[in-house]
Amino acid sequence: MEYRIERDSMGEMKVPADRYWAAQTQRSLENFEIGGEKMPPEIIRAFALLKKGAAQANRALGKLDDRRAQLIETVCDEILDGRLDGHFPLVVWQTGSGTQSNMNANEVIAGRGNELAGEKLLHPNDHVNMSQSSNDTFPTAMHIAAVMSIEDRLLPALDSFIATLARLERENADAVKTGRTHLQDAVPITFGQEISGWRSMMEKARAMIALSLDGLHELALGGTAVGTGLNAPAGFDVMAAERISALTGKPFRTAENKFHALTSKDELVFAHGALKALAANMMKIANDVRWLASGPRCGLGEITIPENEPGSSIMPGKVNPTQCESVTMVAVQVMANDTAVGFSASQGNFELNVFMPVCIYNFLQSVRLLSDSLRSFEKNCVSGIRADRAKMKENLDRSLMTVTALSPHIGYDNAAKTAKLAFRENISLREACIRLGFLTPERFDELYHPERMI
């Protein structure tokens, strides 16, 4: 491999000749050989957006000349197009302020910009990082990445999933089945009503996630090192936020209190709490689906789900609810990520939080996993759910909890005696109630209609 020599305030560094980064990125690359978790691509794209917005603001405020501003914008567009992905090698486990990733972006933009210009016009600190600090750019990138991931990836997946549930709800509005509480038989419901609970869970989760976006629209950019805005011109914070908003189509705005914006990550904690709520709902729905599909002969067997792959290496013909299992594992990961996000946010010391890379790594992983899991679950399982109405009727007819409809007429205690006798002697509720003398056959037939109990 060929190398070139780059210099920073600490001296010389050998850098791969075909890479645009410079000394500070190389130092981080060599000093933090930890794990394989790279800075998320969403953060890299967010840095390109904020650097472009900052260059536009600096130019408008007379701080940056047209040629340098244009070079910065051009390289940022290349980053957004994915053409420079190989130039962002740093791991999550670096400085807690994300300084090295900010400098990685500054160095790549300067290096590529100078190549395009054919001369050294851009300095990573003086021009690309103008009016900025890592301490305000990294939290800004966190919010940009979080908003764009949620709005452009997660919410569309949620909307599609909700639409599929609504369709299934309509199709099964008249499919009467046994309700269950405590994993025990309960009074009847329709399968459509059961699905409506799933639909409402997802709608509620979506509403909570959408509510959490407002705080994430606030940007720390303009606070610079400690929140005072030192070395940033008056109005830079507002203008930079406006430019980023225009570039993304999202309603970003400058944070009212930059001291809060640099040290607190409560907006991310709040938003991830909504993601955890979604994960909990997905866990519940996936478990319901696999319980209802259990069998095919020795389980509940009230629904069928698509058969996607063989389920056993030893048992021929076995098919398992693999999509449900995938969803539940994703839910576990998101719940664990919530702990990491919360702990990270609690570690703000004085004017800065220094757990930002791990915080946003876990946050974005949750959004990514939930989005992909929703699409996979919908496509490969939920859209193909079919009610086995014959099995539902069979289970309903055998249920003892339909005796609840008789309680207003024969009393709770007598209804309980009826159910216990029917269970003990394996006879029908009708036979038990008549044998006990609580109702005549005619009166029982008049009162007992499980399909009307919904």
Side-chain angles (χ1 to χ4, degrees):
M1 181 182 292
E2 294 184 2
Y3 293 90
R4 70 178 188 276
I5 299 299
E6 290 283 349
R7 296 169 179 81
D8 63 8
S9 61
M10 298 185 70
E12 295 183 346
M13 289 293 294
K14 287 173 59 178
V15 176
D18 62 346
R19 301 293 95 175
Y20 291 124
W21 69 70
Q24 290 196 47
T25 301
Q26 190 65 32
R27 291 186 192 281
S28 179
L29 195 57
E30 294 179 11
N31 290 335
F32 296 95
E33 295 181 307
I34 303 171
E37 296 82 8
K38 303 293 185 184
M39 191 60 64
E42 298 93 336
I43 287 292
I44 306 305
R45 305 291 189 271
F47 262 113
L49 287 164
L50 78 87
K51 295 295 177 183
K52 184 174 180 177
Q56 291 179 351
N58 280 319
R59 176 168 52 186
L61 292 167
K63 293 273 290 181
L64 191 64
D65 63 87
D66 290 345
R67 190 177 179 200
R68 287 187 172 91
Q70 187 56 58
L71 281 171
I72 292 172
E73 290 190 51
T74 297
V75 180
C76 287
D77 287 339
E78 291 186 354
I79 295 172
L80 292 169
D81 289 341
R83 284 184 273 171
L84 301 180
D85 285 352
H87 298 268
F88 295 91
L90 301 187
V91 295
V92 171
W93 320 109
Q94 54 169 276
T95 177
S97 62
T99 298
Q100 290 145 3
S101 281
N102 178 48
M103 284 307 304
N104 184 192
N106 292 334
E107 290 178 345
V108 168
I109 293 169
R112 173 58 176 159
N114 290 334
E115 182 181 68
L116 291 172
E119 58 179 313
K120 285 200 171 184
L121 284 178
L122 293 178
H123 186 282
N125 299 82
D126 295 338
H127 304 118
V128 186
N129 201 59
M130 180 181 285
S131 308
Q132 306 155 57
S133 161
S134 298
N135 296 353
D136 66 350
T137 58
F138 201 88
T140 296
M142 291 170 76
H143 278 208
I144 293 172
V147 168
M148 296 189 70
S149 296
I150 289 173
E151 291 192 356
D152 297 345
R153 189 169 186 173
L154 179 57
L155 294 186
L158 252 174
D159 290 340
S160 180
F161 193 87
I162 291 167
T164 293
L165 290 178
R167 171 181 62 79
L168 289 171
E169 180 183 347
R170 293 190 300 271
E171 292 174 357
N172 293 280
D174 59 346
V176 183
K177 64 182 292 293
T178 300
R180 293 180 178 88
T181 58
H182 304 269
L183 294 182
Q184 304 295 307
D185 303 341
V187 295
I189 60 170
T190 69
F191 188 37
Q193 290 171 327
E194 194 163 44
I195 295 171
S196 78
W198 301 345
R199 173 185 52 75
S200 185
M201 290 166 72
M202 303 307 272
E203 290 173 342
K204 295 283 187 181
R206 190 198 189 285
M208 287 186 283
I209 292 168
L211 179 66
S212 74
L213 288 171
D214 184 62
L216 295 176
H217 287 140
E218 291 192 357
L219 302 182
L221 196 60
T224 66
V226 295
T228 60
L230 180 67
N231 290 351
F236 171 80
D237 56 349
V238 174
M239 183 173 291
E242 290 174 348
R243 297 305 172 98
I244 293 170
S245 182
L247 290 170
T248 60
K250 313 296 184 187
F252 290 113
R253 62 186 184 277
T254 191
E256 182 178 346
N257 188 310
K258 302 299 191 299
F259 306 104
H260 166 268
L262 266 60
T263 195
S264 176
K265 299 292 160 275
D266 48 14
E267 298 98 341
L268 288 159
V269 173
F270 181 60
H272 201 279
L275 299 180
K276 182 173 70 171
L278 172 60
N281 286 345
M282 290 172 65
M283 173 80 84
K284 192 270 184 190
I285 293 170
N287 278 332
D288 281 358
V289 169
R290 64 175 168 177
W291 272 108
L292 291 171
S294 62
R297 291 189 173 178
C298 300
L300 297 181
E302 291 188 345
I303 65 172
T304 60
I305 57 178
E307 298 181 350
N308 296 322
E309 57 275 317
S312 173
S313 61
I314 189 173
M315 292 175 281
K318 195 174 193 299
V319 179
N320 295 329
T322 53
Q323 287 292 317
C324 298
E325 292 163 5
S326 175
V327 169
T328 55
M329 287 192 289
V330 164
V332 167
Q333 185 64 59
V334 172
M335 293 175 192
N337 287 351
D338 192 68
T339 300
V341 170
F343 271 119
S344 299
S346 73
Q347 299 305 305
N349 301 126
F350 302 114
E351 278 65 60
L352 187 67
N353 178 288
V354 291
F355 283 66
M356 290 191 286
V358 69
C359 179
I360 195 60
Y361 175 82
N362 282 275
F363 187 100
L364 293 173
Q365 185 191 56
S366 291
V367 177
R368 200 178 310 118
L369 288 175
L370 289 169
S371 304
D372 293 348
S373 182
L374 280 166
R375 292 200 180 281
S376 180
F377 193 33
E378 179 194 357
K379 174 185 175 183
N380 298 309
C381 182
V382 176
S383 63
I385 288 176
R386 299 292 180 267
D388 187 333
R389 296 185 179 226
K391 184 65 174 178
M392 288 180 176
K393 186 177 186 309
E394 176 188 338
N395 288 341
L396 182 62
D397 290 344
R398 296 176 62 235
S399 173
L400 300 176
M401 288 306 98
T402 50
V403 76
T404 305
L406 303 178
S407 291
H409 306 283
I410 64 175
Y412 182 94
D413 291 338
N414 287 340
K417 291 176 183 177
T418 299
K420 289 180 180 296
L421 176 63
F423 178 68
R424 187 170 59 250
E425 300 196 12
N426 195 28
I427 59 177
S428 68
L429 289 172
R430 186 178 189 276
E431 185 177 351
C433 189
I434 293 169
R435 184 189 299 182
L436 290 168
F438 297 144
L439 291 172
T440 65
E442 295 77 16
R443 182 60 173 159
F444 183 93
D445 293 341
E446 179 184 341
L447 296 174
Y448 184 77
H449 294 282
E451 70 280 0
R452 298 177 187 173
M453 297 180 192
I454 58 173

